[in-house]
Amino acid sequence: MTTQDEMKRNAAVKAVEYVPENEYIGIGTGSTVNMFIEALAASGKKIKGAVSSSKATSELLAKYDIPEVLLSEVLQLAVYIDGADEVNHTLQMIKGGGGALLKEKIIATAADKFICIADESKYVSRLGKFPLPVEVIPMARSLVSRQLLKFGEPELRIGFITDSGHEIVDVHNMDLSRPLTTEDQINLISGVVENGLFARDAADLLVLGRADGVEVIKPHV
Ligand code: 5RP
């Protein structure tokens, strides 16, 4: 039987094929991305540098001698590689399970192409089983949570502070049948910094590790 970790690793290894040499790329955060960084290092493929979405990713890049650059230092990112907590058939995603959604969304917006890497358990017909992470300014956490009651059941991620010094409220049992609208509506609440719905910044390609191999999926429209 193929384990979830094996499926993640197979997707991560396959994704290296989509990394152009001698370009800048963006790199997300999480266990699948960690496997991608290892696979990129093992491949010997040379990139100009990587924009990192978190301290954890930066540490791993340094360990493998992959040069890190700041987003402000580059004009173009050829590709952004990241995992997801859920991804639907149009390749809209819920992200932020690891709490790095703010920088992840910024880098995804900046990149020419978003390649999502995941195991098959993440590929769903409808988003919303996974709680939606919402990054908030700490002083506004109660104010924001009261507003989020209109969308679902908010729960503060206790003891968690993001790399940017904010808190995360996870919203359970949401109706995410209109991801684009919900993404915008939540970001309009004062005190919300960003939310983990990636509907505007959906992936361009999904590299999905399955029990019987890796499938490369384009958005179904
Ligand atoms: C971090 C993320 C990750 O991409 C997401 O949580 C998936 O993580 P993993 O690869 O460990 O399953 O959005 O903020």
Side-chain angles (χ1 to χ4, degrees):
M1 204 189 86
T2 318
T3 65
Q4 188 180 20
D5 268 0
E6 283 165 346
M7 289 186 253
K8 286 183 181 190
R9 192 173 299 282
N10 292 342
V13 168
K14 176 77 180 167
V16 173
E17 291 176 21
Y18 294 90
V19 174
E21 294 216 51
N22 297 316
E23 297 275 2
Y24 294 107
I25 70 168
I27 302 190
T29 297
S31 57
T32 321
V33 160
N34 291 347
M35 293 173 187
F36 166 75
I37 294 171
E38 287 167 17
L40 179 63
S43 76
K45 210 168 201 177
K46 292 287 172 235
I47 56 166
K48 274 190 187 161
V51 175
S52 163
S53 61
S54 65
K55 288 179 187 160
T57 290
S58 297
E59 280 168 20
L60 207 56
L61 291 173
K63 179 177 166 192
Y64 287 106
D65 288 327
I66 297 173
E68 183 178 342
V69 287
L70 300 177
L71 184 59
S72 53
E73 292 170 335
V74 296
L75 284 176
Q76 195 187 20
L77 286 181
V79 68
Y80 177 59
I81 311 271
D82 199 359
D85 298 301
E86 280 183 351
V87 49
N88 70 14
H89 295 183
T90 55
L91 307 193
Q92 298 168 321
M93 295 160 281
I94 289 183
K95 293 186 41 55
L101 62 108
L102 175 59
K103 288 186 183 170
E104 288 175 346
K105 201 177 278 191
I106 292 169
I107 305 171
T109 309
D112 293 346
K113 197 170 182 181
F114 187 144
I115 295 180
C116 179
I117 48 175
D119 69 88
E120 64 182 3
S121 70
K122 310 284 185 69
Y123 194 43
V124 296
S125 45
R126 181 176 276 217
L127 299 174
K129 204 166 168 199
F130 195 90
L132 180 71
V134 180
E135 184 155 349
V136 301
I137 300 284
M139 69 166 287
R141 87 159 84 102
S142 303
L143 181 76
V144 170
S145 294
R146 285 196 291 276
Q147 296 292 318
L148 288 173
L149 281 169
K150 292 176 196 152
F151 295 87
E153 297 158 28
E155 182 189 14
L156 180 68
R157 206 180 287 184
I158 303 283
F160 186 86
I161 301 292
T162 69
D163 283 356
S164 305
H166 306 132
E167 291 180 328
I168 300 268
V169 176
D170 293 302
V171 190
H172 300 258
N173 296 319
M174 292 183 72
D175 171 6
L176 290 180
S177 51
R178 296 163 69 218
L180 282 168
T181 309
T182 307
E183 180 178 357
D184 289 347
Q185 284 174 336
I186 291 180
N187 280 352
L188 284 175
I189 301 171
S190 294
V192 168
V193 183
E194 189 49 88
N195 75 81
L197 257 178
F198 281 57
R200 297 218 168 277
D201 302 292
D204 299 288
L205 210 60
L206 170 63
V207 180
L208 193 68
R210 290 196 181 275
D212 56 358
V214 178
E215 189 181 357
V216 178
I217 300 171
K218 289 186 183 152
H220 301 185
V221 275

